[in-house]
Amino acid sequence: MNVMNASVDDLFMNKADQRFPPYILFVITNVCNAKCTFCPQSIIADAPDFAKQHMSWKHYTQAIDEIAETDVRIVRITSEGEPMMHPKTPEMVAYAMSKGIDKVDLTTNGSLLKGKRLKQLMESPPNIIDISIDAYYPETFAKYRVGLDFQEVLDNVHHLLEIRDPSKTKVVVSMIHHDGLDDEVKLFRKYWEKHVDNVVVRKPHTNLNSVDVGVQELPKERWPCPHLWHRVLINHLGHIRFCPVDWYEGSHIGSLDEMTIAEAWKGPMMQELRDRHVRGDYAGSGVCENCVDWSASVWGKGWINMVEKKEMQTA
């Protein structure tokens, strides 16, 4: 399908996706144990009015209960920080798994996948654990993953691989392809492809121009953003957003206290945004207008496409 000539309805993967997003991203905390140089959290956490906050059990279970009644294909538990910093992360994973959701994915920097917390998590493990490592060499890791220990993360990942049941839990590692890391990306792939179920290499995001990731060479023609057809994000406050790289509430649709996920997905705000993206009309469209991160979101190559590959299926 040529997305440049498609209608709004054509861009949904199927009819069910018109009624409910196939991919829900949970941002369960704004707390982190790292100061990654490419991440807005490092900036936000230094602000004098920053307050550490975790998603409430009420908001989380309310959303999961709604999701469990749909054909959603993936729930991804992540954060604007480190998800394992939430005191109830293992319980949150277990609750989602108990509801029979097709794919439950936990994203983590890997530093806390150890000891009691790992044991609790693996009592009812997610279908996918994806670890952001972002380096092959310790020097690169130290440059980008400030505050974390490279060897500790590697040891944690290898221990996880030893104890997990590969028929139940798939392991993914990822790296951001920063400028100058072409050779290191190749080494990263070569090493981890022997150990894990999938290796993901991503282009860096500016997170709506909030961090400097170098010069962005954009394609000549802008395509509609697939996020508007694939997913919504629910943050630690129970707020529903349409943009996963928006850290400042510029893509706020509403709150779980005032609407359901389905209402947000089918509501007038999302309908208008989809119409405008299809028309290529971005002027005055809020956070979309000056976004350059759209070029890193390619149709047919998103996270939802990766988790539906044969090698990512679990029992």
Side-chain angles (χ1 to χ4, degrees), residues 269-284:
M269 182 177 183
M270 291 296 286
Q271 298 284 13
E272 180 184 354
L273 276 169
R274 294 184 190 115
D275 286 339
R276 295 188 68 166
H277 274 240
V278 165
R279 297 197 310 268
D281 176 18
Y282 301 102

Side-chain angles (χ1 to χ4, degrees), residues 33-38 82 108-112 131-157 173-176 178 181 184 188 192:
N33 60 342
K35 301 285 285 185
C36 300
T37 57
F38 52 84
E82 165 52 39
T108 174
N109 63 30
S111 64
L112 301 177
I131 304 109
S132 305
I133 301 178
D134 293 319
Y136 177 78
Y137 294 118
E139 296 82 9
T140 306
F141 188 90
K143 176 181 178 180
Y144 291 110
R145 290 259 162 202
V146 178
L148 302 181
D149 183 279
F150 181 64
Q151 192 58 52
E152 179 181 49
V153 170
L154 294 190
D155 291 345
N156 290 350
V157 175
V173 297
S174 68
M175 179 173 178
I176 296 175
H178 294 282
L181 297 185
E184 186 163 353
F188 183 86
W192 285 109

Side-chain angles (χ1 to χ4, degrees), residues 48-290:
D49 59 346
F50 174 74
K52 296 180 178 181
Q53 294 173 308
H54 301 303
M55 177 176 280
S56 72
W57 186 252
K58 173 183 176 295
H59 280 148
Y60 179 75
T61 54
Q62 174 188 332
I64 290 293
D65 289 348
E66 181 185 356
I67 292 164
E69 299 299 318
T70 74
D71 296 322
V72 75
R73 297 199 285 287
I74 178 170
V75 162
R76 191 175 179 193
I77 299 172
T78 180
S79 75
E80 291 174 353
E82 165 52 39
M84 292 294 286
M85 295 292 285
H86 194 297
K88 288 186 174 291
T89 306
E91 293 92 333
M92 294 171 114
V93 169
Y95 188 81
M97 292 296 294
S98 74
K99 293 293 181 174
I101 292 168
D102 188 35
K103 290 279 188 306
V104 178
D105 178 348
L106 174 66
T107 299
T108 174
N109 63 30
S111 64
L112 301 177
L113 289 177
K114 59 184 179 179
K116 182 180 178 181
R117 294 283 280 163
L118 177 61
K119 182 180 178 181
Q120 290 174 330
L121 179 67
M122 299 310 287
E123 287 173 359
S124 182
N127 304 103
I128 302 166
I129 299 176
D130 70 90
I131 304 109
S132 305
I133 301 178
D134 293 319
Y136 177 78
Y137 294 118
E139 296 82 9
T140 306
F141 188 90
K143 176 181 178 180
Y144 291 110
R145 290 259 162 202
V146 178
L148 302 181
D149 183 279
F150 181 64
Q151 192 58 52
E152 179 181 49
V153 170
L154 294 190
D155 291 345
N156 290 350
V157 175
H158 282 293
H159 178 59
L160 170 65
L161 290 166
E162 289 174 3
I163 67 170
R164 60 101 184 224
D165 180 343
S167 70
K168 295 180 179 179
T169 301
K170 302 301 181 182
V171 175
V172 178
V173 297
S174 68
M175 179 173 178
I176 296 175
H177 192 161
H178 294 282
D179 287 344
L181 297 185
D182 295 8
D183 291 339
E184 186 163 353
V185 164
K186 293 175 184 177
L187 291 169
F188 183 86
R189 280 192 185 278
K190 184 178 180 180
Y191 177 79
W192 285 109
E193 282 175 348
K194 296 180 291 186
H195 299 287
V196 301
D197 300 290
N198 214 314
V199 177
V200 174
V201 176
R202 294 182 286 232
K203 290 177 63 176
H205 287 285
T206 72
N207 294 282
L208 297 180
N209 302 304
S210 60
V211 290
D212 182 9
V213 297
V215 177
Q216 296 284 91
E217 293 187 13
L218 301 179
K220 292 181 179 179
E221 192 173 13
R222 181 173 176 175
W223 53 76
C225 181
H227 299 318
L228 298 176
W229 283 264
H230 290 169
R231 60 176 161 180
V232 294
L233 175 150
I234 304 171
N235 79 355
H236 55 283
L237 301 174
H239 295 173
I240 305 169
R241 301 200 305 240
F242 64 79
C243 180
V245 296
D246 165 31
W247 291 61
Y248 294 95
E249 295 276 25
S251 62
H252 179 87
I253 306 171
S255 167
L256 290 174
D257 294 324
E258 62 191 23
M259 63 171 58
T260 65
I261 300 168
E263 288 168 344
W265 185 246
K266 297 184 293 185
M269 182 177 183
M270 291 296 286
Q271 298 284 13
E272 180 184 354
L273 276 169
R274 294 184 190 115
D275 286 339
R276 295 188 68 166
H277 274 240
V278 165
R279 297 197 310 268
D281 176 18
Y282 301 102
S285 62
V287 297
C288 300
E289 181 172 6
N290 297 313

